[in-house]
Amino acid sequence: MHMEHISVLVDEVLANLRPAPGGVYVDATVGHGGHARALLEREPGIARLICIDQDSDAIARSGAELAAFGSRVVFCNQSFTELRDILRQAGIHAIDGIVFDLGVSTGQLKDPSRGFSLYLEGPLDMRMNAGAPLHARNLIEQLDTNELADTIYRYGEERFSRRIAAHIKARQADITTTADLAMVVSEAIPARFHPRSIHPATKTFQALRIAVNNELQALETGLQAACDALNSSGRMCVISFHSLEDRIVKTMFKRWAAGCVCPRDLPVCACGCTPRMRIVTPRAVRPGSAELGANARARSAKLRVAERL
Ligand SMILES: C[S@@+](CC[C@H](N)C(=O)[O-])C[C@H]1O[C@@H](n2cnc3c(N)ncnc32)[C@H](O)[C@@H]1O
């Protein structure tokens, strides 16, 4: 089954990452290999490209796609939270650039057996790493109604989180597929509040996926490891798809750029922290109209770039 994934903001990533001959780069979320291929084609002199994905299908797929580029391209079926170890094991001390393209790929979304899609019936799974112990059904079973409501509110920004959680817990025994869950969530939200442009269960699915994959904590850990690994002038490009991710990226970039973390009312700096990164994109870069017309997934994409001092 071939499921094409259209990579977003590729030209913008290339222009900002500025791959150079002899450089060492990381694609922290290789997925279908779109950004990795673009980097390798733009700069044939790249010395090493480390391609990471926690999904073994993505590693197998991108490994086959990029085989022609030879042993300069190294694949790691791990989480980008383990970047430090990945680089150490590859004998790399520092990198010249890294790209994160967050979220799920088309391959993951369109494969019903992965349980990510609202529209395709499949098991309630949602794990990016199919070997991880917690899937969406476990999560629903393990959380009590309040915890489930908090999860749906926090990670889905869903105003009907309490009603949805109560409906899910009441019908838990009957909910075994994505279609069951989508139906129960839709029924929990009064029809007059059903959004026009998205499925009523979209936010709940997003929340459960974020919780199952511990995505926000992973993002913070991955970004910190990337900042630590970058050479001076090395750049980090991060593409996010929803406000929770973007907020983390923006906040971490600001913190690195500011350096000092002392309370504002302290007359002199006591922490001694100095700026580590320069923000290259004061405003997030959005796809242009041509890209938006060609790729619906690009609608919510935001690219932020920072450079190591
Ligand atoms: C949007 S896709 C990337 C698509 C890719 N840039 C391309 O152009 O083909 C996101 C990928 O990131 C992976 N991913 C998400 N979180 C991850 C993490 N913490 N560590 C490693 N991979 C992760 C997902 O498994 C998925 O394959």
Side-chain angles (χ1 to χ4, degrees):
M1 190 171 13
H2 183 69
M3 283 163 291
E4 198 180 337
H5 174 92
I6 309 174
S7 305
V8 301
L9 292 163
V10 174
D11 290 341
E12 292 80 355
V13 166
L14 292 178
N16 279 288
L17 215 51
R18 306 178 303 183
V24 176
Y25 297 88
V26 174
D27 184 338
T29 53
V30 69
H32 291 227
H35 287 98
R37 172 181 288 281
L39 278 167
L40 291 158
E41 285 175 350
R42 168 65 62 94
E43 181 43 72
I46 284 178
R48 298 285 278 287
L49 177 65
I50 310 291
C51 295
I52 303 171
D53 205 295
Q54 62 180 336
D55 182 344
S56 56
D57 288 354
I59 291 294
R61 184 190 296 117
S62 57
E65 285 280 329
L66 303 173
F69 293 96
S71 57
R72 296 178 297 146
V73 189
V74 178
F75 294 90
C76 303
N77 183 201
Q78 282 168 266
S79 168
F80 56 61
T81 56
E82 297 164 68
L83 181 66
R84 227 168 257 131
D85 286 344
I86 291 171
L87 295 179
R88 191 166 34 81
Q89 274 163 24
I92 293 169
H93 301 295
I95 59 174
D96 300 299
I98 183 164
V99 57
F100 294 82
D101 175 20
L102 302 169
V104 284
S105 69
T106 306
Q108 290 167 324
L109 205 56
K110 295 267 171 81
D111 179 350
S113 74
R114 304 298 299 269
F116 286 111
S117 174
L118 284 155
Y119 301 102
L120 302 171
E121 180 148 29
L124 265 185
D125 193 317
M126 303 193 189
R127 287 170 301 174
M128 293 186 196
N129 168 6
L134 183 78
H135 54 61
R137 195 164 148 77
N138 301 138
L139 183 77
I140 288 172
E141 283 165 2
Q142 283 173 15
L143 299 181
D144 67 25
T145 307
N146 276 333
E147 291 167 335
L148 183 58
D150 288 348
T151 301
I152 295 171
Y153 183 72
R154 192 173 313 137
Y155 297 147
E157 299 182 312
E158 169 60 72
R159 60 193 279 226
F160 292 104
S161 57
R162 309 253 142 229
R163 286 178 67 111
I164 292 170
H167 270 68
I168 292 176
K169 291 304 279 185
R171 306 265 301 275
Q172 183 172 296
D174 306 328
I175 303 175
T176 57
T177 70
T178 48
D180 298 334
L181 180 65
M183 194 180 65
V184 169
V185 174
S186 296
E187 285 170 5
I189 303 174
R192 67 180 188 286
F193 292 112
H194 281 195
R196 288 209 188 112
S197 54
I198 55 169
H199 189 290
T202 301
K203 291 178 175 183
T204 302
F205 269 61
Q206 171 186 300
L208 294 176
R209 194 200 83 201
I210 289 175
V212 164
N213 296 289
N214 197 16
E215 289 178 36
L216 302 184
Q217 181 64 52
L219 178 58
E220 286 193 29
T221 307
L223 293 181
Q224 187 58 58
C227 172
D228 294 343
L230 279 169
N231 275 319
S232 173
S233 301
R235 285 189 170 186
M236 179 187 313
C237 293
V238 189
I239 302 171
S240 65
F241 290 89
H242 56 76
S243 56
L244 298 170
E245 287 171 343
D246 185 52
R247 208 171 296 151
I248 289 174
V249 180
K250 206 163 61 175
T251 306
M252 291 189 74
F253 279 17
K254 274 193 181 158
R255 194 191 310 148
W256 290 325
C260 173
V261 292
C262 293
R264 278 172 190 270
D265 55 356
L266 216 63
V268 284
C269 169
C271 71
C273 299
T274 51
R276 300 191 75 199
M277 303 280 277
R278 175 178 78 83
I279 297 174
V280 178
T281 50
R283 283 179 179 204
V285 177
R286 308 296 303 262
S289 52
E291 180 167 5
L292 290 172
N295 184 6
R297 216 176 62 86
R299 271 186 314 219
S300 43
K302 281 185 180 173
L303 168 67
R304 292 188 188 271
V305 183
E307 182 179 289
R308 189 78 155 83
L309 294 171

